[in-house]
Amino acid sequence: MEDRLVIKGIEFKSRLWVGTGKYKDFDETKKAIEASGADVVTVAVRRVNIIDRKSENLFDYIDPKKYKILPNTAGCYNVEDALRYSRLAREAGISDLIKLEVIGDEKTLFPDIIGLLKATEMLAKEGFIVLPYTNDDPIMAKRLVDAGAAAVMPLAAPIGSGLGIRNPYNIKIILEQATVPIIVDAGVGTASDVAIAMELGCGGVLLNTAIAGAKDPIAMASAMKHAVIAGRLAYKAGRIPKKLYATASSPIEGMF
């Protein structure tokens, strides 16, 4: 049986999900996504040209039949905006999946967790498959699941910071109590950060800036692809316990 990520009965081929912002043009976006091997592509509803189909559109470069499009509410600073853009995405036929963001502060882009909880509950009742972006708080992660979240997306570090996983112990606690997949979202800087997330046991990683902002986005996308695979394999293989003192690698029996 293949080791696939499944959320609400939807099966995903890749555990690496990627964003579409900050690339120099749509052609580079397309090439990076292809190199990443991702089958989930997230797009900000506010930035997608839904109304004027005659203008150049991201969907001219990304085939919705090939990729699962995950609309997100990036840029929404209150519950009302997040609800409106979620409903707009569904009415436009993009998806019932929604990566829910309710941002609480312009400088840090940390989530407004009270608003996030409220919006998650409302959208879940409307039949959305809600994937909320939140901080790395185990209590809030549990409450989001209780509110109807289909997966929880804790940050590794502030959006676009590239700092990597700042608190692996919180992520570990979230994973231990999780009843839904946990997808690390935001703050990843390079391939080793992705591998750490996967080695912890996360179901997947979503990232954007780490690829789009790299000197060679296509090469970095490929690196991220392999980091997810390596990290997942290491998690399933099981790492050795950490010890304070040395243990000989070679048998000492028979020495004289």
Side-chain angles (χ1 to χ4, degrees):
M1 183 177 179
E2 291 192 61
D3 178 34
R4 293 284 176 87
L5 172 63
V6 180
I7 298 176
K8 281 278 187 178
I10 302 173
E11 189 173 283
F12 301 89
K13 296 177 182 177
S14 173
R15 293 175 181 273
L16 176 62
W17 298 2
V18 295
T20 53
K22 298 185 177 179
Y23 290 97
K24 68 178 182 181
D25 54 38
F26 286 145
D27 185 58
E28 183 180 74
T29 307
K30 178 182 178 181
K31 290 177 179 175
I33 293 171
E34 289 176 348
S36 76
D39 64 340
V40 173
V41 176
T42 185
V43 297
V45 180
R46 296 168 67 99
R47 301 191 185 103
V48 174
N49 188 354
I50 294 173
I51 298 173
D52 184 5
R53 294 291 191 183
K54 294 181 181 179
S55 300
E56 187 179 44
N57 196 301
L58 178 65
F59 292 150
D60 295 332
Y61 294 82
I62 301 172
D63 184 358
K65 294 178 181 177
K66 182 178 180 181
Y67 298 99
K68 291 182 176 65
I69 305 301
L70 175 60
N72 68 64
T73 60
C76 292
Y77 284 83
N78 56 63
V79 173
E80 291 71 26
D81 281 351
L83 295 177
R84 182 165 64 255
Y85 280 103
S86 298
R87 292 163 182 159
L88 180 62
R90 182 157 74 176
E91 289 170 6
I94 299 176
S95 178
D96 287 336
L97 289 162
I98 189 75
K99 181 199 162 193
L100 182 62
E101 295 187 24
V102 181
I103 301 300
D105 177 69
E106 290 186 3
K107 184 176 181 180
T108 64
L109 298 180
F110 283 142
D112 169 3
I113 55 174
I114 296 174
L116 181 70
L117 189 62
K118 181 179 180 181
T120 297
E121 186 172 20
M122 293 178 72
L123 290 172
K125 287 180 178 177
E126 293 179 21
F128 282 90
I129 300 173
V130 187
L131 315 176
Y133 158 72
T134 184
N135 54 28
D136 57 2
D137 178 0
I139 305 301
M140 182 50 59
K142 189 174 184 303
R143 289 188 176 179
L144 287 166
V145 174
D146 293 342
V152 175
M153 308 183 74
L155 55 81
I159 294 172
S161 68
L163 291 172
I165 297 180
R166 294 293 82 198
N167 196 334
Y169 302 104
N170 273 22
I171 299 294
K172 193 71 175 174
I173 294 171
I174 290 172
L175 286 163
E176 285 181 356
Q177 68 182 20
T179 57
V180 300
I182 303 300
I183 312 293
V184 161
D185 177 14
V188 166
T190 188
S192 58
D193 299 332
V194 170
I196 290 172
M198 298 308 296
E199 288 172 4
L200 286 170
C202 293
V205 176
L206 189 154
L207 56 87
N208 185 168
T209 305
I211 294 177
K215 290 182 180 178
D216 185 340
I218 315 303
M220 184 59 83
S222 180
M224 297 299 189
K225 171 185 175 180
H226 292 291
V228 164
I229 295 170
R232 181 66 180 175
L233 283 173
Y235 167 71
K236 293 187 70 178
R239 65 158 297 138
I240 62 171
K242 294 181 180 179
K243 298 178 181 177
L244 182 59
Y245 294 103
T247 303
S249 300
S250 302
I252 59 175
E253 291 81 4
M255 292 185 66
F256 58 88

